[in-house]
Each structure stands twice: as C-alpha cells, then as structure tokens.
Amino acid sequence: MFLSLPLTQYPFTLKSWTDKDVTIAHGPVASLGWPAMTMQFSLDEYHGDRFSPGQAVNFTFRNSGSTFSLTTVSTR
C-alpha cells in the first residue's frame, strides 16, 4: 500500500538520514489515526537524493506490515 500525505495538512521534519533508514517526525495524522510521533522508514525502495536533518519534507511510503519503506521525498 502506498500513502501520499498532503504537506499542507501534516508538518513533517527530517530528523536523521543514514544509509539504511530515515527518521521523520510528524504531527497528528487524523486520516490514518496516528498521533504526533517520530517514525523510522527503510530506504530499501528509495533511489533519490539524500536530504539533511532539520529539513521540512513531503514524502510517500509503502507500508508492508511492520516496515515502512520510503519511496519518494521532496522538500517543502
């Protein structure tokens, strides 16, 4: 399942970026029933540019059970 979340409704901030994963903090996402939290996303499916911690971003990801894989990311 792919999820694309509108940046106008949800502020996302890139917290860290490693070779294997990225950590993103976000406010509440009512459409998914998520409270504000910090989440880790796998980079297994991502083939784009690397971004810096502290950047405000918009992204899409795949939920494959217990793993969230980042698929696209761009700055806001």
Side-chain angles (χ1 to χ4, degrees):
M1 169 186 357
F2 284 99
L3 297 175
S4 179
L5 305 174
L7 74 105
T8 54
Q9 292 180 354
Y10 309 106
F12 300 104
T13 303
L14 183 61
K15 302 301 273 183
S16 69
W17 192 294
T18 70
D19 291 337
K20 295 182 181 185
D21 56 50
V22 61
T23 302
I24 296 172
H26 62 78
V29 181
S31 63
L32 296 175
W34 290 354
M37 67 178 119
T38 299
M39 298 177 69
Q40 192 171 40
F41 295 83
S42 165
L43 291 173
D44 291 345
E45 298 183 38
Y46 182 73
H47 304 288
D49 295 330
R50 186 177 179 128
F51 291 83
S52 301
Q55 285 186 284
V57 296
N58 189 32
F59 66 97
T60 60
F61 63 93
R62 180 190 308 265
N63 178 353
S64 54
S66 62
T67 301
F68 295 103
S69 297
L70 191 72
T71 56
T72 66
V73 63
S74 61
T75 57
R76 290 194 276 160

